[in-house]
């Protein structure tokens, strides 16, 4: 059984930083793709950052977070992290970790975490 458990969310002032972590069990983070999505109140869930870990290599970021967020994988700990700098109020959302075993890394993720709240407010 695959489980993805996020941690590290919280409240921070604009301009601050947070580091989210996602611990995987029953799934090897080196398999194919890992991603972070977010959903703000009243909005659709959107992809924030994707990392290709399996046969391909590379990262993909939403335009809104480029140069501020960094996704990374720790194969030894079987975790994926999202480092978020220069946070803005519009980054407020529930952040979800996701994984899939094959196919395009842009959509149709198979496995999801329960989410962690990030609130950016002064």
């Amino acid at each position: 059984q695959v489980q993805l458990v996020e941690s590290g969310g919280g409240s921070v002032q604009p301009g601050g930083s947070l580091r989210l972590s996602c611990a995987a069990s029953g799934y090897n983070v080196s398999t194919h793709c890992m991603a972070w999505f977010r959903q703000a109140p009243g909005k659709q869930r959107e992809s924030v950052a994707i990392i290709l870990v399996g046969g391909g290599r590379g990262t993909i970021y939403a335009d809104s977070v480029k140069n501020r967020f960094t996704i990374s994988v720790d194969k030894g700990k079987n975790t994926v992290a999202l480092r978020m700098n220069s946070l803005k109020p519009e980054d407020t959302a529930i952040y979800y970790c996701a994984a899939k075993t094959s196919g395009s890394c842009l959509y149709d993720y198979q496995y999801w975490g329960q989410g962690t709240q990030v609130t950016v407010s002064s």
Side-chain angles (χ1 to χ4, degrees):
Q1 182 180 358
V2 175
Q3 282 194 316
L4 303 175
V5 180
E6 302 98 334
S7 61
S11 296
V12 64
Q13 292 187 339
S17 297
L18 281 175
R19 182 180 183 275
L20 306 182
S21 183
C22 172
S25 59
Y27 178 88
N28 187 329
V29 297
S30 300
T31 298
H32 187 49
C33 315
M34 299 292 299
W36 287 93
F37 288 74
R38 68 184 180 187
Q39 187 166 20
K43 295 188 177 181
Q44 287 191 327
R45 186 166 58 191
E46 62 174 349
S47 170
V48 174
I50 298 168
I51 185 165
L52 287 68
V53 194
R57 293 289 187 273
T59 55
I60 304 169
Y61 294 96
D63 287 343
S64 59
V65 306
K66 277 181 182 175
N67 301 316
R68 298 191 299 123
F69 289 13
T70 303
I71 187 171
S72 61
V73 164
D74 187 326
K75 296 180 181 180
K77 295 182 179 179
N78 209 37
T79 58
V80 59
L82 184 68
R83 177 67 180 180
M84 306 184 294
N85 295 327
S86 302
L87 282 161
K88 304 175 181 180
E90 50 264 42
D91 294 318
T92 295
I94 299 174
Y95 283 71
Y96 299 90
C97 173
K100 65 182 302 185
T101 56
S102 62
S104 171
C105 294
L106 297 178
Y107 47 79
D108 291 342
Y109 276 74
Q110 296 164 265
Y111 306 113
W112 294 85
Q114 82 288 348
T116 186
Q117 176 71 47
V118 171
T119 302
V120 185
S121 173
S122 55

